[in-house]
Amino acid sequence: MEANPYPSLPAGVPPFDAPRPAFIRHALSAGWSDFRTAPGFGLLTGIASVIAGWVLIGLTIWAGHTFWLILAVFGFPLVAPLCALGTYEVSRRIGMGQPAGIGVILAQLQEERGRQLPWLSMLMVVALLFWFFLGHMIFALFLGLKPMVNVTTSFDVFLSIDGLMMMGLGTVVGGIFAFIFFAMCVFGLPLLLAREVDYMTAILASWGHVQAHIVPMLSWAAVIVVLLFLAMLPGLLGLVVVLPWLGHASWHIYAQMAAGAR
């Protein structure tokens, strides 16, 4: 048996408990407490995400392809856990009484290059790119021959029969993508950060626990989606606070159910 190359981390998948009553409220409360305790990395993450969003908006408007903004808006919740990954480590360190400054967290994320997190991260990015391709194909199928300048000046085309069918099919496909991403990563990402385990094992463990407790876990997924979309409404500025808050809370969702994590 190969020796654990990171002996400071426990090996293998821990036993998972069922979601406890009010687990979402407890996670949000603990996440907010962590954000207030060590806001530096979270604010850095939120500000970087907002700037990246503004750049994306500017590029799509400049290129005259504003439809890509719709795909980006619906695709962002898929990769939001990656954006907030460092906040998991902040919360983990706070729980262990360890330093959680920006430099420490950046150094820890740098060390993750030699572990399994990059593999799951790459898988998520590839799947997001496939979502962009599939979304554009659905758009072309229903509205490819419709006259449209951009989303803001031709919004009425979405209210046509073809436009409504496109949005209906796109919502179903996007929902499937979102569920797959969520089920893979809600426990998979923090598991890879906290324990020595390969990424496929982490994905399967996460998927299995979500399937076993589908209703409460879908409730948590709904909270994430609603808060992220509300945060994006004021020119993306809400992400400065909401993204790190959800990141910290996501760690506590994992910590409440993974034996030995709390």
Side-chain angles (χ1 to χ4, degrees), residues 203-224:
I203 288 174
L204 293 174
S206 182
W207 181 274
H209 196 59
V210 170
Q211 293 294 315
H213 306 284
I214 189 71
V215 173
M217 294 312 301
L218 283 180
S219 300
W220 172 236
V223 169
I224 293 174

Side-chain angles (χ1 to χ4, degrees), residues 57-131:
I57 291 172
L59 288 175
T60 53
I61 293 175
W62 173 77
H65 297 294
T66 48
F67 173 71
W68 289 99
L69 287 177
I70 298 178
L71 297 178
V73 167
F74 283 95
F76 179 71
L78 305 182
V79 292
L82 282 182
C83 300
L85 186 59
T87 58
Y88 295 8
E89 178 65 12
V90 172
S91 288
R92 188 175 79 92
R93 285 176 170 272
I94 289 175
M96 297 172 64
Q98 297 178 352
I102 294 177
V104 172
I105 302 304
L106 289 175
Q108 179 61 42
L109 292 179
Q110 184 81 355
E111 290 185 8
E112 294 297 325
R113 293 182 305 168
R115 298 183 64 228
Q116 293 287 301
L117 267 174
W119 291 101
L120 181 52
S121 302
M122 183 175 63
L123 183 63
M124 294 173 68
V125 172
V126 170
L128 178 66
L129 294 176
F130 183 70
W131 155 247

Side-chain angles (χ1 to χ4, degrees), residues 70 148 150-160 167:
I70 298 178
M148 175 181 284
N150 58 49
V151 173
T152 55
T153 61
S154 305
F155 184 77
D156 57 319
V157 76
F158 292 106
L159 301 179
S160 65
M167 289 190 291

